[in-house]
Amino acid sequence: LQPRPTYAPQVPTVIPTTPTPTKFSPNTTVSVPAVPDFLFPFANITENGTRIGSAVVSTAPLAFRSRTVNGVNGTTREAPSLDETICLFLIGDWGRENHPDQEAVALSMDKVAKTFCEPLAVLTVGDNYQASGGLNSIMDREFNSSYMYPYRFEVSALFDLLLLLTLASDLSIAFSSSQTLQVPWLTTLGNMDYTDTSSCGSEEEKEQRQCLLFEQQMKRSPLYQIDPSLRKRDPRWFADRFYSVVLSPNIEIFFADTSVFVSEYYNFDWASDVKGGLAEQDPKEQLAYLESALANSKATWKLLLGHHPMHSNGYNGGYEEVTQALDPLIRRYNVTAYFNGHDHSQQHIVSEDVHYFTQGAGSVTHQGFVPREPALFESDLSGFTALRFDPEALGVYFFDDQANGLYNYTIPRSSEQSLEDSVTLDFSGSNAQRRLWLSPASAL
């Protein structure tokens, strides 16, 4: 690897492009799951009308226009308006027990949330706990040090202290002020979350993580991250191997577990010795779900998130096996963009009219790039991405760890795309088990 000269950020630019249109059926109606009882200011992530766990949301994260729609079982509720802006944050490769670079990015997210757009949710693209490779139990201190404490904004001083001291799994959380990052966190698993030990501690491999004794490492498991019990410690947290979330009738996010597609990982002991590891996963099951969910989605904006890149000029580069598995789905179902981490940098590459965004700069970054293919944007500064949806376009904004804008790109809705006031949401069949509806408190 021959690093390029240090990246000098330019004035952010807007480069329009046109996504492949998504067809809609006119004059359809909204059908959403019933929202179960909840305690203010908590709302719930719901699965086919069944409560699966509470998620903290801001009391007024966005200026949603009130609109009552029919729910299931004859109930009614307010739904997000389609002509208001929705904001999301996205980070990757972030959990390092509040490392100074992670802390700086967290502070940057808080500042951008207060001055640019307040997120409805935070999305992650994996390697959530990479300091030592995943969690060793649902009581692991790293859940506090890598997640709860760094992204605590804004809460009371007392709660701030509790986050540092508590190990109680049944901690009752009461936020004194619910702003900025106190929103649902919808997460993706990365190879480090599977306790990848293949190159820990290697300066040459630039994996930037410590090595543990084998016995200690094998106590870790991705099963702890996806255990719903973690929401007792922090109700913002949601994780699974693959799933989709409907943010509004026109926005659906799909989460993929890309580690299962990387064949080289199966050559290492951690793939089979770790409980719930890669050897226990069935890639065909995931592909069948994604195929079905994408085929049934009525969303204008469909985003696919995974950990491994398909196109990247970073240290690792693109993974052909991930491309072979997921790229046909992206093109077949008109996915707007693919977001990934793994390479610890920020990038935007367009290949055959599809947008590929790398956001793996949530903490420590790799320096320099390899010129594999043309890129519209590259930065090896730590940072995160903000996504802003409005009725006419999706704006993708890259920020550094000082809340400085590095680059932005606007993907407009094509003239053939129709933004009806409502569309039918299909929660039937196998999709119902993994398609979730995220309900903003201001829309309840």
Side-chain angles (χ1 to χ4, degrees):
L1 174 65
Q2 297 297 324
R4 292 183 180 181
T6 302
Y7 176 83
Q10 304 296 319
V11 177
T13 58
V14 177
I15 307 173
T17 188
T18 301
T20 305
T22 302
K23 302 295 184 181
F24 287 92
S25 299
N27 303 319
T28 53
T29 59
V30 168
S31 174
V32 300
V35 177
D37 294 335
F38 65 98
L39 298 175
F40 187 86
F42 298 99
N44 295 281
I45 298 177
T46 64
E47 178 182 303
N48 199 27
T50 302
R51 178 172 178 165
I52 62 171
S54 59
V56 181
V57 300
S58 169
T59 55
L62 300 167
F64 283 106
R65 180 174 297 176
S66 297
R67 183 165 59 87
T68 302
V69 297
N70 291 328
V72 298
N73 301 323
T75 60
T76 61
R77 50 149 286 176
E78 298 295 317
S81 171
L82 299 179
D83 53 5
E84 299 290 348
T85 298
I86 291 179
C87 178
L88 304 171
F89 284 179
L90 185 147
I91 61 172
D93 302 82
W94 47 280
R96 291 187 179 275
E97 298 191 286
N98 208 33
H99 181 283
D101 289 350
Q102 180 188 5
E103 181 182 32
V105 173
L107 289 168
S108 177
M109 293 168 69
D110 180 51
K111 183 175 181 180
V112 172
K114 292 175 179 176
T115 59
F116 179 66
C117 68
E118 190 173 335
L120 176 65
V122 176
L123 314 176
T124 85
V125 286
D127 281 6
N128 308 312
Y129 302 98
Q130 57 182 358
S132 51
L135 299 179
N136 63 22
S137 71
I138 60 172
M139 304 288 286
D140 196 333
R141 288 179 178 270
E142 193 173 341
F143 188 72
N144 282 354
S145 59
S146 286
Y147 168 58
M148 294 176 68
Y149 183 72
Y151 307 102
R152 64 198 180 278
F153 310 104
E154 297 179 40
V155 295
S156 68
L158 174 61
F159 182 67
D160 199 30
L161 178 62
L162 286 173
L163 282 173
L164 287 173
L165 301 178
T166 184
L167 283 177
S169 62
D170 60 347
L171 174 66
S172 177
I173 299 177
F175 294 96
S176 63
S177 59
S178 55
Q179 293 292 323
T180 65
L181 306 184
Q182 302 306 317
V183 297
W185 283 58
L186 308 171
T187 64
T188 311
L189 295 180
N191 56 302
M192 295 299 183
D193 302 309
Y194 275 99
T195 74
D196 181 355
T197 61
S198 55
S199 52
C200 60
S202 170
E203 182 177 352
E204 179 182 356
E205 294 292 337
K206 293 182 168 54
E207 287 296 348
Q208 308 160 327
R209 52 155 297 192
Q210 62 178 308
C211 291
L212 299 178
L213 296 175
F214 182 80
E215 182 179 353
Q216 293 178 325
Q217 193 69 48
M218 293 306 105
K219 291 181 180 178
R220 299 180 177 272
S221 168
L223 294 178
Y224 301 126
Q225 283 194 53
I226 65 177
D227 192 322
S229 298
L230 280 181
R231 286 196 286 277
K232 294 182 180 180
R233 294 180 64 182
D234 192 322
R236 296 175 297 171
W237 182 261
F238 182 84
D240 205 343
R241 299 184 193 273
F242 53 91
Y243 59 104
S244 67
V245 175
V246 179
L247 296 179
S248 81
N250 275 315
I251 304 171
E252 187 163 3
I253 315 294
F254 301 83
F255 298 78
D257 181 2
T258 57
S259 294
V260 302
F261 304 121
V262 183
S263 60
E264 67 178 271
Y265 289 161
Y266 294 87
N267 297 324
F268 297 101
D269 291 339
W270 56 266
S272 56
D273 293 349
V274 169
K275 186 178 180 180
L278 291 178
E280 299 179 27
Q281 310 312 311
D282 182 2
K284 293 181 180 179
E285 177 191 10
Q286 179 179 180
L287 289 175
Y289 167 75
L290 292 172
E291 177 97 35
S292 175
L294 285 164
N296 282 278
S297 177
K298 302 297 191 294
T300 303
W301 306 106
K302 294 192 277 287
L303 305 183
L304 178 60
L305 275 58
H307 181 62
H308 294 82
M310 301 186 203
H311 298 270
S312 171
N313 290 332
Y315 179 80
N316 295 288
Y319 283 72
E320 182 62 29
E321 291 162 316
V322 176
T323 303
Q324 292 174 357
L326 298 181
D327 214 43
L329 299 179
I330 288 175
R331 300 177 186 279
R332 186 178 307 137
Y333 298 108
N334 301 324
V335 173
T336 306
Y338 176 73
F339 291 83
N340 64 267
H342 198 58
D343 274 333
H344 298 179
S345 59
Q346 306 185 71
Q347 303 176 57
H348 179 199
I349 293 175
V350 178
S351 178
E352 298 180 8
D353 298 323
V354 175
H355 298 274
Y356 300 89
F357 295 97
T358 293
Q359 181 47 266
S363 182
V364 180
T365 61
H366 295 147
Q367 301 300 302
F369 296 92
V370 178
R372 299 183 181 94
E373 54 188 311
L376 296 179
F377 166 71
E378 294 174 344
S379 173
D380 54 16
L381 299 175
S382 298
F384 72 101
T385 297
L387 309 175
R388 287 187 57 170
F389 298 86
D390 63 39
E392 299 302 325
L394 163 61
V396 183
Y397 299 82
F398 286 84
F399 293 90
D400 68 9
D401 59 2
Q402 301 299 312
N404 297 313
L406 300 176
Y407 169 83
N408 67 75
Y409 190 100
T410 298
I411 305 175
R413 177 173 59 88
S414 80
S415 59
E416 295 183 35
Q417 286 177 309
S418 172
L419 261 177
E420 302 293 338
D421 281 349
S422 58
V423 296
T424 298
L425 297 176
D426 179 15
F427 287 86
S428 61
S430 61
N431 286 349
Q433 297 180 358
R434 289 183 178 271
R435 176 170 283 170
L436 314 177
W437 178 275
L438 181 60
S439 303
S442 56
L444 296 177

